Amino acid sequence: KAGVTQTPRYLIKTRGQQVTLSCSPISGHRSVSWYQQTPGQGLQFLFEYFSETQRNKGNFPGRFSGRQFSNSRSEMNVSTLELGDSALYLCASSLDSGSSYNEQFFGPGTRLTVL
Amino acid sequence: AQSVTQLDSQVPVFEEAPVELRCNYSSSVSVYLFWYVQYPNQGLQLLLKYLSGSTLVKGINGFEAEFNKSQTSFHLRKPSVHISDTAEYFCAVRGRTVNDYKLSFGAGTTVTVRA
């Protein structure tokens, strides 16, 4: 079974631009979560989507948004990029079978550099 | 809310020596506990998890961890490390409710294994 895939793997943008990152979950997985990883703040939860609805949200400004499609693929968008948005963005998918524990499987990440 | 403190930011160790990475957590609710490993330019890989039951948990690549509820700790150990264990290690927690997919991570411990 293929793992979580993220595209693109690397991205360079300039301040003020916007960017869209894509995540394809493991086949059959219905929950997709996004995390930001920076040297200063570490790993921080952005948001989680399930059945095309945002189910959980972290403490990020409204410039960060996301969506999920009917095939469970997810995109996240960052508008009006700032230098501090430079980070590794990780996507994780899980089955969400209804039990209390569902393992999250992480993709390789998208490295965003804002100049 | 949950928080995680990894007590060592960097741990240098010689090949075939034992290693222990320390993790303490804080939470007002019962949690699941995890250790993840991240190799350069890759996503996160789950090493092991504590859900319930035996407090000694065995994971992949010879790692194990012990959950101590009274000390709110979840320390990771390996009796004999290899050069290939050089990586960054993250301790994480999440709540036990069905819809709680947010992982809260520690700042990470960089393990460098030397010959």
Side-chain angles (χ1 to χ4, degrees), chain A residues 35 37 55-56 96 100 104, chain B residues 32 38 94 99 101 103:
Chain A
Y35 293 85
Q37 184 177 22
R55 189 163 62 173
N56 289 286
D96 195 350
S100 63
Q104 293 188 42
Chain B
Y32 297 132
Q38 186 176 37
R94 55 153 282 203
N99 294 328
Y101 283 84
L103 285 164

Side-chain angles (χ1 to χ4, degrees), chain B residues 11-19 21 36-40 45 47 60-64 76-90 109-114:
Chain B
V11 173
V13 58
F14 286 106
E15 193 174 19
E16 298 183 9
V19 70
L21 307 184
Y36 286 88
V37 62
Q38 186 176 37
Y39 300 102
Q45 181 183 9
L47 276 178
I60 62 172
N61 301 339
F63 284 93
E64 62 181 33
L76 180 71
R77 301 183 184 96
K78 185 169 182 178
S80 176
V81 296
H82 303 291
I83 297 288
S84 59
D85 292 321
T86 295
E88 190 157 20
Y89 294 79
F90 294 93
T109 298
T110 300
V111 173
T112 304
V113 182
R114 300 168 181 168

Side-chain angles (χ1 to χ4, degrees), chain B residues 38-78:
Chain B
Q38 186 176 37
Y39 300 102
N41 298 315
Q42 294 188 27
L44 300 173
Q45 181 183 9
L46 182 65
L47 276 178
L48 47 77
K49 59 185 179 286
Y50 174 76
L51 305 182
S52 64
S54 173
T55 57
L56 183 61
V57 179
K58 293 190 184 297
I60 62 172
N61 301 339
F63 284 93
E64 62 181 33
E66 185 146 23
F67 169 58
N68 188 316
K69 187 175 182 179
S70 63
Q71 297 186 6
T72 59
S73 67
F74 190 54
H75 300 333
L76 180 71
R77 301 183 184 96
K78 185 169 182 178

